[in-house]
Amino acid sequence: MTLTPRRHLTVACILTAFCLGSTPAPALARTGVVVGSKAFPESWVLAEALARVLRSEGVPRVEHRNNLGGTEIVYQALRAGDVDAYPEYTGTIAQVILHRSVSTSLSGMRRVLSREGIGVSDPLGFNDSYALAVTKNVRERYRLESISDLARHPELKLGLTHEFLGRPDGWPGLVRHYGLSMPHVLGIQHELAYTALERGRIDVTDIYTTDAEIERLRLHVLRDDRGFFPRYDAVWLYRLDLGRREPRAVRAMHRLTGRIDEAAMIRANARVVLGHRSYGEAADSLLAETLPSGQERTPAATNTLWGGILRNTGRHLSLVLISLLLAVLAGIPLGVLAARSPWLGSAILSVTGLLQTIPSLALLAALIPLFGIGAVPALIALFLYSLLPIVRNTYVGLTTLPGPLAEAADAIGLSPRAQLLRVRLPMASPAIMAGIKTSAVINVGTATLAALIGAGGLGEPILSGIQLRQGSLILQGAVPAALLALLVQRAFDLVDRVAIPRGLRLPPSPR
Amino acid sequence: MGARLPAAAGIDLQDVQKIYDGVKALDIALLRVEPRSTLALIGPSGCGKSTLLRLVVGLLTPERGSIRIAGTPMRPETRLELQRRMGYVIQEGGLFPHLTAAENVALVARDLGWPDARIGARIQELLELTQIPRELLDRFPAQISGGQRQRVALMRALMLDPEVLLLDEPLSSLDPMIRSDLQRDLKQVFGRLRKTVLFVTHDMAEAAFISGEIAIMNRGTILQRGSFQELVRNPATPFVTEFIRAQRLLDAPNLTPT
Ligand SMILES: Nc1ncnc2c1ncn2[C@@H]1O[C@H](COP(=O)(O)OP(=O)(O)OP(=O)(O)O)[C@@H](O)[C@H]1O
Ligand SMILES: [Mg+2]
């Protein structure tokens, strides 16, 4: 999500958000109350809790529309009147909705948003903010209690989400605030970070303070002893016209404020994420609990991240070329093997084809326990993804030798080895080169995923940019990646001149 | 040349059957090509001429029967060695486009590890024999004419000085002028080298010109074998009569079969 400390964002959501972003429509004349939520469990549970309270109060036609994607989508829906209320976080309101243009105190937000016809409730009681967490083992081994303790252990390996790495109120600000200097920092996808932490591949990761995994993995949340992290207090955002249309709804929202603390929210999240309960059940349990309220603070605002484009590009290129080289070294022999017997051929082609269908995140997740995080699993994943075009094109090139040539190759007394090396492979070279080029270009794109497991590259700014919804950051990765794809293509056109025999590059002769 | 004649090899087929998808394409009870003799195989399209040649050169394995070259049966373990004692030329497209004419000719010799000098000397001999201008050798197949390509293919077939030559319609894609030149040259080469030659054609005039002995095939079997005159005078079956008549040879002037 943009500056919500929350995740899970599909490309579809982004696109929809961009489309919806700029067109506030007038509220429709409509009865009933629509509660909205974003595309993550905590948002569902809170919205459902409100919907249930409203129903129990006898409000007619209460509807919960969940999974409205990111902040942009659900906020625009609220402005347009498609949604009457939804749970939001103060930090997100300040940074995403108000673009940090105004004072970000609760009263300041209320003042500005009231001009849009939007109201802000008091905090619900919990803060879903960033924090750094370590496992029990790591805590004991390094005697880590608070964030300032990190400074004593620069050897610690940190796996941080890209959003956190890119946010001013994330890692860059934290480093400055605490004067940290940690050399081992890798970008990693949020869900994968938990696996890596569990397996001891990383020591520290950033978490959301209401993550269900905190309890499951018995993580220790490092105390923010110098008060760096801003608060993301959950509040209700609602249409002010609801007060006229359905006063009971506003009263119900206010009854839910100041009553949900972190522990209660973590339990509710755990019921959905770990206990596989419905969010309705989780909402019911949540409503059964009450605790005192939290307080409010404003998030820090610092400069945006400027990734070294050159460094990322260099890193990206080496990931692409190394994995490609490995794929060529393995793929051509596999293609040769596949061309030898129909049985072996279909086995090899099925397996390499199957590899292609494994979702990248699943493949990366499977590789972490074996190879940890960083460049090695990224290279392995890229290698596996580059195999198919090379194996298949080698196979096709070898098996589609024109009839008379295949006949001549087999009849003039060439040993099988010479048939392969002097006739079949050179004749297949245009197809093989085409396969290598396909792999290379696809690889340039796929290598952006390497950033998910801390291997760096141009995916670093792209992923940060997507989660922060910062176009400029995305472009810092996307533009060099596109140029790289073109460059790689051009470079391989030159390689063709060496790899493909001249006789095969002649213009066709009139027969 | 007499002193340098290679050992003579005959071709023997006995009770050979080739079946494609349950259909019998070839059924030869007995066929012998004597060492140093030339036999022209002729017959309508689809009668099994190419199948016969492919069996002899080891591209196909028969469902039944035995094939011997110089008395050695064609088997997986003898195949490569026998192939190197035979030269094989096909209608067209047999030259590898990624190799120059010279590389095509020298391909197998290089595979056998012949030194450059030996390869060069052999190519020189063959250039004279096949009347190919030397500068042609550095060109790719796409850069030379169809007639020249067939001369190069013949050169390649002769490179290892094989005892047997198998030619499957080597001239049928050429225009009549070039074709008659090549017919003349081929006949001369066969006469000089005195190899065992199996020459497939669908043109009776060509068969009669190149070879003293002709075998007429139909539907996978050999109907009759003999000189052109014998075939004309004593046709064994109505099909032979009909086949010869259809070629309109007897009306053509200047036909002097040897
Ligand atoms: N690979 C194959 N699979 C099935 N049938 C085949 C195959 N090759 C040849 N045939 C069939 O076997 C028969 C003999 O074919 P062959 O190529 O030997 O004929 P041919 O006498 O050389 O004809 P042409 O003069 O047209 O070259 C034909 O009926 C042909 O259709
Ligand atoms: Mg044929």
Side-chain angles (χ1 to χ4, degrees):
Chain A
M1 255 63 328
T2 319
L3 289 162
T4 333
R6 276 295 164 186
R7 55 274 173 176
H8 299 305
L9 185 58
T10 61
V11 173
C13 288
I14 305 169
L15 293 179
T16 323
F18 284 156
C19 298
L20 285 174
S22 51
T23 49
L28 301 169
R30 178 167 56 68
T31 57
V33 176
V34 177
V35 184
S37 63
K38 300 188 197 177
F40 57 88
E42 189 174 284
S43 196
W44 305 335
V45 172
L46 289 172
E48 184 61 22
L50 177 58
R52 289 185 181 211
V53 170
L54 294 182
R55 284 190 200 111
S56 71
E57 297 263 340
V59 175
R61 288 188 300 281
V62 176
E63 195 192 337
H64 172 193
R65 276 211 215 148
N66 67 340
N67 266 333
L68 288 175
T71 306
E72 295 289 352
I73 295 174
V74 67
Y75 181 69
Q76 293 306 337
L78 182 73
R79 285 219 304 164
D82 292 325
V83 164
D84 295 306
Y86 81 94
E88 187 55 283
Y89 303 88
T90 50
T92 304
I93 297 171
Q95 303 219 16
V96 183
I97 296 174
L98 300 179
H99 304 291
R100 300 174 230 144
S101 56
V102 292
S103 148
T104 45
S105 67
L106 197 55
S107 56
M109 289 180 197
R110 280 193 177 126
R111 201 168 49 247
V112 178
L113 287 177
S114 68
R115 286 185 229 134
E116 308 258 4
I118 306 295
V120 186
S121 79
D122 286 331
L124 303 191
F126 70 90
N127 171 24
D128 183 0
S129 177
Y130 277 120
L132 295 184
V134 296
T135 56
K136 211 159 136 273
N137 276 346
V138 171
R139 177 196 187 179
E140 279 159 16
R141 186 151 18 108
Y142 297 96
R143 293 199 280 115
L144 300 173
E145 292 303 327
S146 58
I147 295 175
S148 31
D149 293 341
L150 291 178
R152 286 188 282 110
H153 296 286
E155 72 275 20
L156 286 168
K157 280 175 286 168
L158 283 76
L160 305 177
T161 61
H162 301 90
E163 186 184 354
F164 187 74
L165 279 173
R167 296 170 68 120
D169 54 338
W171 185 243
L174 190 78
V175 164
R176 229 171 297 127
H177 194 84
Y178 278 90
L180 295 175
S181 144
M182 311 294 289
H184 309 294
V185 175
L186 300 171
I188 189 169
Q189 203 264 347
H190 183 71
E191 271 71 23
L192 296 178
Y194 281 117
T195 315
L197 201 64
E198 199 178 359
R199 310 253 174 179
R201 299 292 185 173
I202 56 175
D203 302 311
V204 185
T205 192
D206 61 301
I207 54 148
Y208 305 107
T209 49
T210 56
D211 274 351
E213 283 88 346
I214 298 172
E215 272 195 8
R216 184 175 70 86
L217 302 177
R218 295 217 212 90
L219 300 180
H220 173 65
V221 178
L222 297 179
R223 195 156 41 79
D224 186 8
D225 49 336
R226 291 195 205 158
F228 167 74
F229 285 117
R231 292 192 66 92
Y232 283 83
D233 288 307
V235 294
W236 299 112
L237 279 190
Y238 62 94
R239 295 182 61 84
L240 287 171
D241 65 11
L242 198 60
R244 265 176 284 115
R245 257 177 43 223
E246 192 55 75
R248 277 176 297 179
V250 179
R251 279 203 299 277
M253 265 186 274
H254 287 302
R255 284 215 352 252
L256 275 173
T257 60
R259 292 182 168 242
I260 304 168
D261 68 0
E262 265 96 351
M265 198 64 236
I266 290 172
R267 280 194 294 277
N269 285 339
R271 276 183 202 107
V272 179
V273 178
L274 306 176
H276 304 294
R277 303 294 182 72
S278 74
Y279 59 78
E281 284 176 80
D284 280 337
S285 315
L286 184 65
L287 287 172
E289 303 180 32
T290 49
L291 275 168
S293 74
Q295 73 267 48
E296 181 201 352
R297 239 195 37 218
T298 55
T302 37
N303 295 329
T304 56
L305 173 93
W306 174 258
I309 291 180
L310 217 64
R311 181 176 50 84
N312 284 337
T313 308
R315 177 85 179 176
H316 202 85
L317 194 62
S318 51
L319 284 172
V320 168
L321 293 183
I322 293 170
S323 59
L324 190 68
L325 183 72
L326 295 174
V328 169
L329 291 179
I332 294 178
L334 279 174
V336 169
L337 219 55
R340 274 171 77 145
S341 82
W343 179 86
L344 212 57
S346 68
I348 289 173
L349 291 174
S350 319
V351 171
T352 47
L354 212 66
L355 283 175
Q356 214 73 19
T357 67
I358 302 176
S360 45
L361 215 56
L363 182 59
L364 293 176
L367 290 173
I368 286 180
L370 301 171
F371 303 102
I373 62 172
V376 173
L379 285 174
I380 292 171
L382 287 175
F383 160 76
L384 293 175
Y385 283 133
S386 333
L387 272 182
L388 182 65
I390 298 176
V391 173
R392 184 171 287 280
N393 277 37
T394 303
Y395 169 83
V396 169
L398 289 175
T399 51
T400 55
L401 191 64
L405 294 181
E407 186 172 317
D410 201 26
I412 62 172
L414 281 174
S415 61
R417 194 184 133 81
Q419 272 193 51
L420 180 68
L421 295 181
R422 294 186 188 266
V423 178
R424 288 184 176 268
L425 277 176
M427 286 295 295
S429 60
I432 296 174
M433 282 306 296
I436 294 174
K437 258 183 266 186
T438 306
S439 278
V441 172
I442 291 176
N443 231 349
V444 170
T446 316
T448 53
L449 295 171
L452 289 175
I453 49 169
L458 292 167
E460 205 81 70
I462 293 177
L463 289 176
S464 301
I466 286 173
Q467 296 195 323
L468 300 173
R469 201 158 309 150
Q470 271 183 30
S472 65
L473 205 52
I474 296 178
L475 291 180
Q476 281 174 37
V479 171
L483 293 177
L484 212 56
L486 290 176
L487 198 81
V488 163
Q489 174 93 32
R490 288 292 303 151
F492 276 101
D493 286 343
L494 297 179
V495 174
D496 277 356
R497 299 196 188 167
V498 184
I500 300 178
R502 194 161 73 85
L504 298 181
R505 288 179 280 119
L506 296 171
S509 71
R511 280 241 154 174
Chain B
M1 296 253 8
R4 293 179 55 242
L5 276 184
I11 304 170
D12 288 281
L13 276 76
Q14 210 169 352
D15 195 22
V16 169
Q17 284 190 6
K18 179 69 204 171
I19 295 161
Y20 293 118
D21 310 324
V23 181
K24 206 184 283 178
L26 198 74
D27 188 359
I28 305 274
L30 201 67
L31 175 69
R32 176 164 173 78
V33 186
E34 292 294 335
R36 304 193 201 292
S37 73
T38 298
L39 177 65
L41 270 180
I42 193 166
S45 188
C47 71
K49 307 181 292 292
S50 297
T51 301
L52 200 159
L53 243 60
R54 289 186 180 121
L55 283 165
V56 172
V57 81
L59 283 169
L60 298 173
T61 27
E63 270 64 41
R64 236 179 81 175
S66 82
I67 298 166
R68 287 163 187 274
I69 289 91
T72 308
M74 174 62 83
R75 294 216 193 93
E77 62 273 18
T78 59
R79 177 174 178 266
L80 195 59
E81 184 227 316
L82 286 178
Q83 280 182 343
R84 288 172 179 166
R85 296 168 69 181
M86 295 186 272
Y88 183 55
V89 180
I90 53 181
Q91 182 178 332
E92 58 171 334
L95 292 182
F96 301 119
H98 66 292
L99 300 175
T100 62
E103 288 167 340
N104 264 287
V105 171
L107 188 59
V108 183
R110 284 206 193 287
D111 186 26
L112 290 173
W114 283 25
D116 284 354
R118 184 174 173 198
I119 291 176
R122 179 63 183 157
I123 286 182
Q124 187 53 45
E125 278 176 23
L126 292 173
L127 281 177
E128 284 157 26
L129 188 74
T130 54
Q131 298 172 33
I132 296 174
R134 168 166 282 283
E135 63 270 20
L136 221 96
L137 285 184
D138 292 327
R139 301 210 207 139
F140 289 98
Q143 297 169 319
I144 60 181
S145 76
Q148 291 166 334
R149 272 200 289 271
Q150 290 310 81
R151 286 180 193 268
V152 172
L154 179 66
M155 239 178 112
R156 184 173 73 183
L158 290 171
M159 183 70 187
L160 301 186
D161 201 10
E163 298 145 76
V164 172
L165 267 182
L166 306 168
L167 301 98
D168 193 351
E169 307 198 35
L171 310 180
S172 34
S173 66
L174 305 177
D175 75 64
M177 291 281 287
I178 305 276
R179 192 167 165 178
S180 94
D181 282 354
L182 261 159
Q183 284 169 350
R184 195 193 55 232
D185 294 350
L186 269 181
K187 184 175 172 179
Q188 201 185 337
V189 168
F190 297 162
R192 273 173 69 183
L193 298 181
R194 307 234 9 242
K195 294 183 184 300
T196 311
V197 176
L198 199 47
F199 183 95
V200 168
T201 175
H202 57 251
D203 176 353
M204 186 59 103
E206 187 170 285
F209 176 71
I210 294 265
S211 171
E213 203 180 11
I214 298 170
I216 292 196
M217 288 182 66
N218 192 28
R219 297 172 181 230
T221 61
I222 293 174
L223 298 178
Q224 190 175 5
R225 188 173 163 176
S227 69
F228 176 64
Q229 283 84 356
E230 281 164 12
L231 297 179
V232 172
R233 266 183 237 124
N234 300 311
T237 69
F239 176 85
V240 175
T241 316
E242 181 55 28
F243 184 79
I244 295 172
R245 202 183 56 75
Q247 300 243 348
R248 301 177 196 280
L249 289 172
L250 302 178
D251 318 328
N254 196 18
L255 185 84
T256 46
T258 34

